[in-house]
Amino acid sequence: MAQDNRDAATEPGALAQLFNQRANAGDVEGLVALYEPGAVLAAGPVVATGHDEIRAFYANLLGRKSDFPAPETLEPVRNGDLALTFARLPNGALSVEVARAQPDGTWLWAIDQLKIAPPKA
């Protein structure tokens, strides 16, 4: 895959890398482009549905935070045109997503559970 931040994910495991690159670049539109138009993003009490709400969520997040360490990505679980993607964040939280193959052969997230906190010790 080329180094252009606007490249599309040609396999589901590439979405996390593109997310990290775009988040660290402050690229709200690039983050929105990783999601299907009707995607759902959940982050704690926030549930954003569709590109407009996801854009507002990321604009707010990037306005408060500028450093996104690379997560540990786990191998996606695929079933045909669907894939479950996972990332373990440096704080131990998990991000779990459902990605779907698009007609052009690229992959986009349809559902994103952005942060599942680690169990309390």
Side-chain angles (χ1 to χ4, degrees):
M1 190 159 61
Q3 296 301 312
D4 182 349
N5 280 351
R6 292 300 191 163
D7 281 348
T10 56
E11 50 97 10
L15 287 163
Q17 177 185 1
L18 290 172
F19 176 91
N20 192 257
Q21 290 170 354
R22 294 172 186 186
N24 280 309
D27 184 1
V28 172
E29 290 305 315
L31 292 173
V32 173
L34 298 175
Y35 294 87
E36 292 182 342
V40 175
L41 177 147
V46 174
V47 176
T49 302
H51 280 178
D52 289 344
E53 291 181 16
I54 291 171
R55 180 178 294 108
F57 172 81
Y58 282 124
N60 179 278
L61 177 66
L62 295 181
R64 295 180 288 114
K65 183 176 176 173
S66 61
D67 181 40
F68 296 85
E72 172 192 357
T73 56
L74 308 172
E75 190 64 30
V77 176
R78 287 180 64 169
N79 182 0
D81 289 347
L82 295 176
L84 195 57
T85 59
F86 312 86
R88 183 176 296 119
L89 307 176
N91 66 2
L94 291 176
S95 177
V96 180
E97 306 83 21
V98 174
R100 186 178 359 242
Q102 304 300 300
D104 65 0
T106 62
W107 288 79
L108 295 174
W109 283 321
I111 301 171
D112 185 356
Q113 175 62 62
L114 195 55
K115 261 193 213 178
I116 300 171
K120 295 187 191 236

